[in-house]
Amino acid sequence: METPTPTGTPTDTPPEATPLPRRVAAVTALADPARRALYELVTRNAEPIGRDAAAESVGLSRSTAAFHLERLAALGLVDVEYRRLSGRTGPGSGRPAKLYRRADAEISVSLPERHYDLAGDVLAGAIERSIETERPVRETLRAVAGEAGRSRGAASASLPLALAGNGFEPYADGDDLVLGNCPFHRLAQKHTDIVCELNYELVRGLADGCGDHDHAVASEPGAGRCCIRISRAEASVRGSSTT
């Protein structure tokens, strides 16, 4: 029996499921004029389109159109389905045609890496839960951000990999980790306190989700480019015991 997902919990696929090199390859594939013309043709059509019709529409040979369509499919830019165009079934009705339609998946590339979709998902989820539970939005934001972090962290083998996969660009600062990138940079510039809270709870959730109990996450303005410092838990405990 499946455990119900709490209201307002982001359930999107972690970004490491689609590595940056593959997303870059998908976008750069459209630099080819013929391939881009076929992609635009497929996305403009309400119904899936076959190789013959696609080739005729863009003025390519069938074999060339098929080559480019297969490349688009391999990169996740279009989806494939099979259907008998004659509508007939049974013996003698012929083989189903291979048809191409616009892919449901979204592909985006940003440098430095940004994840505004995740921020939007967390913020919308927090508002939704706040309305349903009648609890303060800021309180539910912290909870939803933590849940999103745990979900994404569970897909990673270590905290550094989880951080890297979510665009934080972790690097060593002595024995600690600091973050070289804020995935929500423009939002953080306009709404600093809210986004920093979101970041903090998200990173804590990443650590919890990937089972990392050796590090302590702390908010520290001026640490890296994301105001978060990740220290060895033992060192953090020793430091607090001497103050």
Side-chain angles (χ1 to χ4, degrees), residues 14-30:
E16 54 265 37
T18 307
L20 179 61
R22 179 176 173 81
R23 285 182 279 139
V24 171
V27 173
T28 55
L30 297 177

Side-chain angles (χ1 to χ4, degrees), residues 87-110:
R88 294 159 51 197
T89 59
S93 58
R95 296 173 59 186
K98 193 170 190 176
L99 306 176
Y100 302 85
R101 59 180 172 81
R102 183 177 192 163
D104 292 330
E106 298 177 4
I107 296 174
S108 62
V109 176
S110 59

Side-chain angles (χ1 to χ4, degrees), residues 73-99:
L75 292 169
L77 290 165
V78 300
D79 289 335
V80 174
E81 64 179 67
Y82 294 87
R83 187 194 307 166
R84 286 188 173 89
L85 299 180
S86 65
R88 294 159 51 197
T89 59
S93 58
R95 296 173 59 186
K98 193 170 190 176
L99 306 176

Side-chain angles (χ1 to χ4, degrees), residues 161-195:
L161 286 175
L163 292 167
N166 285 278
F168 286 104
E169 299 179 7
Y171 65 90
D173 183 21
D175 293 330
D176 300 343
L177 282 177
V178 293
L179 309 177
N181 183 51
C182 174
F184 320 117
H185 176 68
R186 276 184 290 143
L187 286 176
Q189 287 183 313
K190 293 183 178 180
H191 312 285
T192 305
D193 290 345
I194 293 293
V195 176

